[in-house]
Amino acid sequence: MNRFTGKVAVVTGAAQGIGAATARRLAAEGAAVAVLDLTAQAGQDVAAAIREEGGTARAYACDVTDGEAVEAVFAKVEQELGGLHILVNNAGITRDHLFFRMPKSDWDSVLTVNLTSAFQCAQAAQTYMTRQKYGKIVSLSSRSALGNRGQANYAAAKAGIQGLTATLAIELGPYNVNVNAVAPGYVATAMTAATAERTGHAPEEHQRLTAERTPLRRVAQPEEIAAVVAFLASDDASYVSGQTLYVNGGAR
Ligand SMILES: NC(=O)c1ccc[n+]([C@@H]2O[C@H](COP(=O)([O-])OP(=O)(O)OC[C@H]3O[C@@H](n4cnc5c(N)ncnc54)[C@H](O)[C@@H]3O)[C@@H](O)[C@H]2O)c1
């Protein structure tokens, strides 16, 4: 499949995990990919691996909580890679605590990185997308949006992504911009490994316990989320907009 030939994609938080898998998948199908992360160094390996496989990619430093930095880097991407057609809002963090002892600073940082950054990136991207009457915005929500112990901040941010998505689909639809979200369950990445350690489990043990209560009896790999992001970023999903697609192995 070469669904993204001639398209330029920005993937935030793309140095590892789901973002890295998404960058590789979009590039494998022909997109020129801007690998954004906190430092350009962080994204170098992913960009280099893409180029070794014959794709086009460049690593950029961008803290997506900094609106001015986002605007500047998007302008640079447009100039250097020749456009901006796809935005994947993937950068995210967790700062889990039970609600009664959650510091306001951890509420703020999780809302800022997971939700406000998506607002800022989408606002910067829509300038290019509405002008060219073509665009795809896909944001990472989470199964936790439905509620998850110890994650009042993260659940609120990821539910916010769903509301943002539904609203941007209404406002940007007339400009041929599709806006959707993916809500994964448990994916084996550094983020869930950190959660495992915080709860006193080895990552493998934590995954096994999660798999036991998941209908497909396993956790997801980043590539399985990337495949769904790629679908929503492609013209295969040309009449899909404003949706949040749960990708969670059948869990309710
Ligand atoms: N892993 C899961 O089980 C899971 C489940 C549901 C949703 N998600 C969501 O998927 C996305 C990716 O998760 P992951 O598991 O791959 O996480 P990860 O921790 O492996 O990777 C996140 C990346 O985001 C980058 N990042 C963090 N803050 C940033 C900032 N301010 N600016 C730019 N980059 C920043 C990090 O440097 C890192 O490279 C996140 O939005 C996460 O909330 C993950």
Side-chain angles (χ1 to χ4, degrees):
M1 277 194 290
N2 250 346
R3 294 181 292 186
F4 305 115
T5 304
K7 300 291 192 295
V8 176
V10 172
V11 184
T12 71
Q16 63 183 41
I18 295 168
T22 299
R24 287 201 305 270
R25 176 68 190 249
L26 297 178
E29 292 197 44
V33 179
V35 177
L36 262 61
D37 215 294
L38 287 167
T39 65
Q41 257 144 323
Q44 296 296 8
D45 287 352
V46 174
I50 288 171
R51 290 194 297 269
E52 270 163 32
E53 287 159 13
T56 304
R58 203 178 270 215
Y60 295 88
C62 182
D63 178 342
V64 289
T65 64
D66 178 345
E68 283 178 16
V70 166
E71 281 186 20
V73 87
F74 281 25
K76 209 169 165 197
V77 167
E78 204 245 3
Q79 228 176 20
E80 293 180 352
L81 298 184
L84 206 167
H85 308 94
I86 297 164
L87 166 65
V88 182
N89 285 315
N90 168 81
I93 58 167
T94 53
R95 295 287 182 271
D96 299 353
H97 306 275
L98 288 178
F99 176 60
F100 78 95
R101 59 174 178 229
M102 181 174 286
K104 167 79 164 34
S105 55
D106 281 347
W107 169 269
D108 288 341
S109 56
V110 167
L111 267 287
T112 304
V113 177
N114 291 281
L115 181 57
T116 309
S117 71
F119 159 78
Q120 287 179 160
C121 289
Q123 201 170 55
Q126 61 84 35
T127 315
Y128 305 93
M129 293 175 173
T130 54
R131 198 190 301 147
Q132 71 207 7
K133 291 243 167 30
Y134 186 94
K136 311 281 186 187
I137 299 174
V138 184
S139 302
L140 270 293
S141 177
S142 167
R143 183 260 153 234
S144 296
L146 301 174
N148 201 24
R149 187 178 164 80
Q151 291 197 316
N153 49 3
Y154 186 74
K158 294 304 190 183
I161 286 286
Q162 299 190 15
L164 178 69
T165 296
T167 303
L168 297 194
I170 293 167
E171 294 194 21
L172 301 180
Y175 300 92
N176 193 33
V177 178
N178 300 58
V179 189
N180 291 291
V182 177
Y186 192 117
V187 190
T189 69
M191 181 178 275
T192 43
T195 306
E197 272 157 39
R198 190 179 45 75
T199 56
H201 295 97
E204 300 71 28
E205 173 68 359
H206 201 239
Q207 289 175 19
R208 193 185 60 72
L209 293 170
T210 306
E212 273 174 12
R213 52 175 195 272
T214 303
L216 282 178
R217 293 292 184 270
R218 59 185 182 81
V219 301
Q221 296 303 314
E223 291 72 21
E224 296 180 285
I225 310 304
V228 179
V229 174
F231 164 66
L232 291 171
S234 79
D235 289 331
D236 283 343
S238 52
Y239 206 60
V240 181
S241 201
Q243 302 303 306
T244 296
L245 183 45
Y246 281 81
V247 186
N248 61 3
R252 308 301 297 174

